[in-house]
Amino acid sequence: MKKYKCIKPFWVAGVDLYESETEIKAGEIYESDEPRPTHFGETIHLDSTDGLFWIEIGSEIFRECFEEMKGGAE
């Protein structure tokens, strides 16, 4: 499983009943088990490392806002 660090904050539509938008903050770490089907038709599915949250984003936002973490270091 690859890990990615957010390097540029951005907002995503909420995926639960309580939040309409959620800010993804710089420094947050997400994991991806590619290839994986998405639920809302976006290109990339990422899970938070605490397992409590997930997002789906397009590849342009992914390239702009995330960098792969080498060697699994956090």
Side-chain angles (χ1 to χ4, degrees), residues 17-29:
L17 298 175
Y18 304 105
E19 296 185 45
S20 59
E21 289 188 327
T22 300
E23 182 180 14
I24 306 305
K25 298 176 181 144
E28 292 181 343
I29 309 298

Side-chain angles (χ1 to χ4, degrees), residues 4-15:
Y4 300 92
K5 182 177 185 177
C6 179
I7 56 172
K8 180 181 176 184
F10 64 99
W11 291 85
V12 295
V15 294

Side-chain angles (χ1 to χ4, degrees), residues 8 13 19 27-29 33 50 52 57 60-61 64 66 71-72:
K8 180 181 176 184
E19 296 185 45
E28 292 181 343
I29 309 298
D33 191 10
D50 62 12
L52 299 176
I57 56 176
E60 184 176 325
I61 292 172
E64 183 178 331
F66 285 91

Side-chain angles (χ1 to χ4, degrees), residues 10-60:
F10 64 99
W11 291 85
V12 295
V15 294
D16 60 33
L17 298 175
Y18 304 105
E19 296 185 45
S20 59
E21 289 188 327
T22 300
E23 182 180 14
I24 306 305
K25 298 176 181 144
E28 292 181 343
I29 309 298
Y30 288 82
E31 299 174 325
S32 178
D33 191 10
E34 300 278 341
R36 179 178 180 163
T38 60
H39 300 280
F40 301 111
E42 293 292 353
T43 309
I44 309 290
H45 178 102
L46 298 171
D47 295 303
S48 64
T49 54
D50 62 12
L52 299 176
F53 186 75
W54 56 270
I55 60 173
E56 291 186 348
I57 56 176
S59 56
E60 184 176 325

